[in-house]
Amino acid sequence: GKGLVRFYRIDKTGALTLVKDVEVGYLPDGIAFDEDGKKLVIANEGEPVAGYSIDRPGSIGIIDIKGKQGKETFTYTDLGFAGLTLPTGIRISGPTGTTQATDIEPEYVSILGNTAYVTLQENNGVAKVNLKTNTIEKIFELGAVDYKDQLVDLTDRDNPSGNTSLIKPLLGQNYEGLRLPDGVAAFRTKGKEYFITANEGDGRDGSAWAPYSDEGRGIGNANRVKRLADDA
């Protein structure tokens, strides 16, 4: 079933009183209030379970809160990703039958004025949501990092001889890596609006995604999104 957001009122003693349960999307993750507390934005992650036997759609939820204390009303809007035109760099991956509606997985939320920025971690993007109209206004793709000019060590086979003293970072390895944003913070300075993301760079691997996996070595793993040219 779907997830829910549970609202409580806290009194001066710290005691909690349940106000309302609001049904939202599938597997709610990050949430954030706007500045005046009249809107709550929810990242409904909708991750697959049991080897993709169930893969519910991800979405961005908005709860509009109106009315005086004790007489509040809560109205929920669910923004899905079916039918949206995506930039070419947004990553949709998974077994046959995976769609952008089921594959996009919102993660965390940051609100600045009437705009919410929501990370789409496994899809390598960020959604910009207009909170005046409750619509997804734009989707940013975050591109890849080219490691050929970075001081990095991206292989576990640097040292086949077993001499650990030889293990050291290498400048210039022929790999690219997706950013895959997790946490996000939006801010305004000198008249311009920005968002900053914590880029986890974490592949899909484990029981939730099996037998599909991003992780593997060389051409032997047929489920790789993009295979390495050799076994290194």
Side-chain angles (χ1 to χ4, degrees):
K2 293 185 176 181
L4 60 84
V5 171
R6 177 164 286 174
F7 291 88
Y8 290 91
R9 181 165 289 111
I10 184 169
D11 68 18
K12 60 184 180 181
T13 69
L16 297 175
T17 302
L18 178 64
V19 176
K20 182 76 173 178
D21 283 346
V22 179
E23 184 179 80
V24 293
Y26 294 104
L27 302 179
D29 194 344
I31 61 175
F33 274 106
D34 68 352
E35 188 174 356
D36 61 9
K38 292 182 178 179
K39 284 180 181 280
L40 181 69
V41 180
I42 307 103
N44 298 304
E45 192 166 6
E47 279 190 321
V49 296
Y52 273 93
S53 62
I54 301 174
D55 189 11
R56 300 181 179 95
S59 66
I60 298 170
I62 303 170
I63 299 175
D64 286 280
I65 306 165
K66 296 181 180 178
K68 295 181 179 180
Q69 181 172 317
K71 296 183 178 180
E72 300 94 342
T73 61
F74 300 84
T75 304
Y76 180 69
T77 302
D78 195 73
L79 305 178
F81 296 92
L84 291 184
T85 300
L86 304 178
T88 56
I90 289 293
R91 174 179 185 252
I92 304 298
S93 62
T96 301
T98 300
T99 67
Q100 68 185 54
T102 58
D103 192 62
I104 294 178
E105 297 179 1
E107 193 85 21
Y108 285 107
V109 182
S110 182
I111 297 178
L112 184 62
N114 291 309
T115 301
Y117 292 96
V118 183
T119 52
L120 314 175
Q121 181 174 336
E122 284 82 6
N123 311 101
N124 200 41
V126 174
K128 181 180 182 181
V129 181
N130 186 324
L131 296 181
K132 288 184 177 180
T133 60
N134 284 2
T135 56
I136 297 174
E137 190 173 279
K138 183 175 183 177
I139 294 181
F140 301 91
E141 58 94 2
L142 297 195
V145 178
D146 187 344
Y147 289 107
K148 69 176 181 291
D149 296 319
Q150 306 281 339
L151 188 65
V152 291
D153 184 0
L154 299 177
T155 174
D156 61 359
R157 291 189 175 178
D158 319 275
N159 188 27
S161 67
N163 185 348
T164 56
S165 66
L166 298 177
I167 296 175
K168 59 184 178 180
L170 304 174
L171 180 60
Q173 288 183 273
N174 190 27
Y175 298 96
E176 289 185 346
L178 299 182
R179 293 186 165 90
L180 306 183
D182 193 356
V184 60
F187 64 97
R188 184 179 291 108
T189 183
K190 297 182 179 179
K192 293 185 178 182
E193 200 164 298
Y194 300 86
F195 63 81
I196 294 175
T197 56
N199 301 318
E200 189 167 359
D202 185 22
R204 285 172 164 163
D205 186 63
S207 59
W209 294 278
Y212 181 86
S213 174
D214 288 340
E215 298 184 14
R217 181 183 297 282
I219 62 174
N221 185 344
N223 293 320
R224 289 296 301 278
V225 175
K226 184 178 181 180
R227 300 169 187 167
L228 299 179
D230 55 42
D231 197 36

